[in-house]
Each structure stands twice: as structure tokens, then as C-alpha cells.
Amino acid sequence: MDTSTDVLAEQVRAKRTAIDNDLELLRVRVAQADPRQNLTPQRVAQVAAPLAAGAALWMWARRRRAVGSLEQLLVHTMGDLYRAEHTLVPALERMQLAATNPDLASAFENHRQETEGHIERLERAFRSIGAKPKRGASEAVASIVAEGERLLRRKVEPDVRDAWLIATAQRAEHLEIAGYGTARTFAQTLGYTYAAGLLQETLEEERATDEKLSRLAELFVNPQSIR
Ligand SMILES: [Fe+2]
């Protein structure tokens, strides 16, 4: 009796061990099928570390791109100004020849010389920020000048001609004033103090020329002939 009881107890223990093994095997398989069951602190750290590094890299690259784009805008704006000044030099020569009033002709000649200085100043500003200007014509300035010269091909009164020349020159000046103001602010924001100073110098000269042209227009343009 005792012997049969022992055998039965042994059989029950064996069966229980087999069931426990099956349950453990099942638990392991369920854990493998569902990754959430594997979220131990070590596993979380393994997964999260590269994600955090990736996010930090993305944010760094984004900041770099943002700064880079402001630099690109500065170079682009300075490039526009460089082409505008190059387009203006021969245009101012033609304006000087077209002007009937000697004071106006002399103002155009002075500004042509100043414009050559603006080109040289822009080249220095480019060098100081480690960039190079590209030569070429400014479509915006060329279009203003072309429109001005189209009217001058007609037969017009001398005062009207001079008034129109002033209006044409001032349109180009206003374009430059806006461009130099923008470039100066970009340069200041980026910490390019030397370039910002050069752009500010030219901005002041452009403003002075604009005011001079306004004074000339008020002084000698005869309202009778304009009407
Ligand atoms: Fe200029």
C-alpha cells in the first residue's frame, strides 16, 4: 500500500513538473511574441539611447540649417547689391550724359565714383565673411534703368528729362537702400561686425545721394514744364 502510494506521489510530482515546464515554455513564447513583455529597464535604455541621440542630432542639424540659411540670405542679398552696383556704373555714366542741368550731371558723376567705392567695399565685406561675390547684371536695376531710358528716347523738354532722370535714379537708390539695410541687419545678427560696418557706411552714402537728388529736383525742376 505504502509502495503504491509512493509511486502515485512520484507520478503526481512528475506530472506537476511537466506542467510547470510547459507553462514556463508558454510564458517565454508569449513574451517573445509580444515585445512589451520584454520592456526591462535595460531594454528600455537600449532602445531609448539611440532615439535620444538621433533627436539631439536632428535638433543640432536643424539649428545649423537655420543659421546657415541666414548666412545664405546675407550672401544672396550682398550678391544682389554687388550686381546692382555693377549695373549702375554704366547706367550713371549714361545718365550723366543725358542730364541737361550741369548740377545734376555732376551729381550723377559723383555718385558713379561713389558706386565704384561701393563695389570695392562690398568685395571687402565678402572677404570678411569668407564668401565670394559673383559678377553679373542685376535684373531689377537693369529693368528700372531700361524703363527710364525708354522715355528718354522720345523728344522731351529738358526739365522733364532731368526730372525723369532723377526719378529713375531714385528708384534704383531706394532698391539699394532697402538691400543695404537688410544686409547690414543680417550681418549684425550673425556677428559679422566688420561687414555690418561697411554695409552701414554705404547705406549712409546711398541715403545721402537720395536726399541730394530730392533737393536737386526741388531746386531746378520747373513745375511749368512738368505739367
Ligand atoms: Fe551704390
Side-chain angles (χ1 to χ4, degrees):
M1 183 67 184
D2 283 341
T3 311
S4 64
T5 304
D6 287 346
V7 169
L8 191 62
E10 183 56 37
Q11 283 175 345
V12 168
R13 267 199 300 275
K15 201 73 175 170
R16 202 171 164 180
T17 304
I19 290 169
D20 283 348
N21 288 343
D22 284 348
L23 281 173
E24 178 59 20
L25 190 66
L26 190 63
R27 195 190 66 74
V28 168
R29 284 184 178 166
V30 167
Q32 284 172 344
D34 184 356
R36 284 173 301 178
Q37 300 296 320
N38 275 335
L39 287 181
T40 60
Q42 291 83 1
R43 181 76 186 130
V44 169
Q46 274 178 352
V47 173
L51 281 176
L57 191 67
W58 177 78
M59 284 174 76
W60 174 80
R62 196 170 169 220
R63 266 205 308 275
R64 287 272 303 169
R65 270 203 305 276
V67 171
S69 68
L70 187 58
E71 283 198 3
Q72 283 164 8
L73 277 179
L74 171 64
V75 171
H76 178 81
T77 311
M78 282 169 56
D80 271 353
L81 288 166
Y82 190 67
R83 288 184 288 279
E85 300 288 22
H86 273 288
T87 310
L88 270 173
V89 170
L92 284 165
E93 276 172 6
R94 294 197 298 275
M95 286 180 179
Q96 183 197 347
L97 294 172
T100 49
N101 183 287
D103 289 341
L104 182 59
S106 145
F108 285 142
E109 166 58 14
N110 287 344
H111 194 52
R112 187 194 59 76
Q113 285 173 13
E114 260 183 356
T115 300
E116 283 172 354
H118 297 171
I119 291 171
E120 187 269 329
R121 210 177 269 148
L122 273 171
E123 286 169 349
R124 270 192 286 151
F126 267 106
R127 274 197 300 277
S128 76
I129 64 166
K132 258 186 159 180
K134 281 184 199 152
R135 285 288 296 267
S138 160
E139 281 182 32
V141 172
S143 147
I144 289 171
V145 172
E147 193 185 332
E149 290 179 336
R150 206 165 26 246
L151 186 96
L152 293 178
R153 282 197 285 272
R154 295 190 218 161
K155 193 170 174 4
V156 283
E157 291 295 320
D159 286 354
V160 174
R161 164 181 287 267
D162 286 348
W164 185 243
L165 281 169
I166 289 174
T168 301
Q170 281 189 304
R171 286 178 72 191
E173 283 306 309
H174 293 174
L175 195 80
E176 284 195 302
I177 288 167
Y180 275 107
T182 303
R184 184 269 332 265
T185 303
F186 286 165
Q188 275 173 344
T189 306
L190 289 163
Y192 292 132
T193 318
Y194 180 70
L198 290 172
L199 294 164
Q200 178 65 31
E201 271 182 66
T202 301
L203 176 61
E204 282 163 16
E205 285 180 6
E206 302 289 13
R207 280 181 182 148
T209 298
D210 183 46
E211 282 164 19
K212 190 175 180 181
L213 288 171
S214 290
R215 278 199 304 276
L216 277 172
E218 287 163 14
L219 278 174
F220 70 78
V221 172
N222 178 0
Q224 295 300 319
S225 55
I226 290 175
R227 200 164 51 227

